[in-house]
Amino acid sequence: MTGNHRLAMGLYISIPFCRSKCTYCNFSSGVYPAAAHSRYVERLIEDLAGARAWAGGAGAELPERIDSIYLGGGTPSLLAPGLLAQLFAAIRDGFEIDSDAEITMECAPGQIAGAMLEAMTACAVNRVSLGVQSFVDREAHESGRLHTRAVVEDDLRRLRAAGIVNLNIDLIAGLAGQTFASWEESLQALIACDAPHASVYMLEVDEDSRLGRELLAGGARYRAGLVPTDDAIARMYERALEQLEAGGLKQYEISNFSRPGFASRHNLRYWRRRPYLGVGLDASSALCGEHGLLRAATTGDLEAYLAGPQAIEKTWLTAAQQHEEAWFLGLRLNAGVNVAELEQEFGRDLVAPAIVTAQRLAADGLLDFDGDTARLTAQGRLLSNDVFQEFLTETEVAAG
Ligand code: SF4
């Protein structure tokens, strides 16, 4: 991170509440009563007010200006409208929000009450990310989603009528029961919606979701037996690339697609290593400071979080670690990694071994590398985790 990026930061606020738990979900989110919502917002406000002292104590710089805010979760639109207003008042108390800041809120389709929509516009929310996952009603229902395609289309109409036109739709390839035909239906519905941004994820299989556990341990409750094979999911992803591109949504990151000018400014921060503060449950921060780059993470235990301020895990990254991040975060972007910029930031000696790695991966067909800029190939995107691993030092790989 260089000096001019210190001028403004992004703010991520985690809202871990949902109306029901989706089968594939591996986030720290759950169904909690309204009393937990108000206590949680109190805690967020407390943490926002204490952020400057915390950062100062850690030796990190907390910019006053904010140019992007992202309320993720969870389902932030489930908060009472008054709580959203309190939260934004606290942000404005502690920070200066740019007049053209990108302010995103994640919403679940069918869960944006009229009063909430009014509160969102009053708080200057100007981007909404809708967790659609599938436009096929049966698939959405069986994944634990509570909407139909008609509900999504109605939400989009209401959001646009309220002046929120910067809209993202999330889809997941690999849901139980999904077929090539149903995936095609979701892709075509997404394009027909004319949203300027889409995120397409491949199903993650791990112990943190009910579907993932069933896939790993067996069982039939969440229809794990009907999850498409890895090869089929990869083909669905490739089909998404073709169809979205044809529909005018250009890929700019492994999972993200946009019309010109609609790439997510907040999410770009993560891949470009720009500073951000994360507040709430299971939130991470990246801030510049006296020892370089500080990465911090809050607790994922809601009870502990509600009980009062918690210790925040902090790590100052070494120059070598920052350089590795520059590769595996930068390669996520279609723009790729520019070697001259890295040499300027980290020095030639640190970058030289990574250039050799990039040349080897290019020979294997996983990167396009002309000596100047390295980018993932189509094959490299499908094997991106393996590619990123190649840029980690042997010590870190051994340490896991
Ligand atoms: S996928 Fe989204 S809406 Fe579903 S449980 Fe997870 S956080 Fe909640």
Side-chain angles (χ1 to χ4, degrees), residues 60-100:
E61 184 186 332
L62 192 72
E64 299 216 336
R65 262 186 59 213
I66 288 179
D67 64 6
S68 70
I69 299 178
Y70 195 104
L71 270 73
T75 309
S77 56
L78 286 186
L79 288 180
L83 291 179
L84 190 75
Q86 281 175 33
L87 186 55
F88 271 88
I91 300 171
R92 288 178 200 282
D93 265 0
F95 301 92
E96 187 192 318
I97 305 176
D98 281 5
S99 57
D100 65 346

Side-chain angles (χ1 to χ4, degrees), residues 34 66 79 108 126 153 180 203 213 234 239 322 353 368:
I66 288 179
L79 288 180
N126 52 22
E153 289 167 351
F180 288 118
L203 180 76
R213 282 194 293 278
R239 183 70 183 153
Q322 291 180 59
D368 275 329

Side-chain angles (χ1 to χ4, degrees), residues 18-33:
C18 294
R19 189 164 283 166
S20 64
K21 188 78 181 171
C22 304
T23 62
Y24 54 81
C25 179
N26 57 3
F27 300 135
S28 295
S29 64
V31 183
Y32 294 93

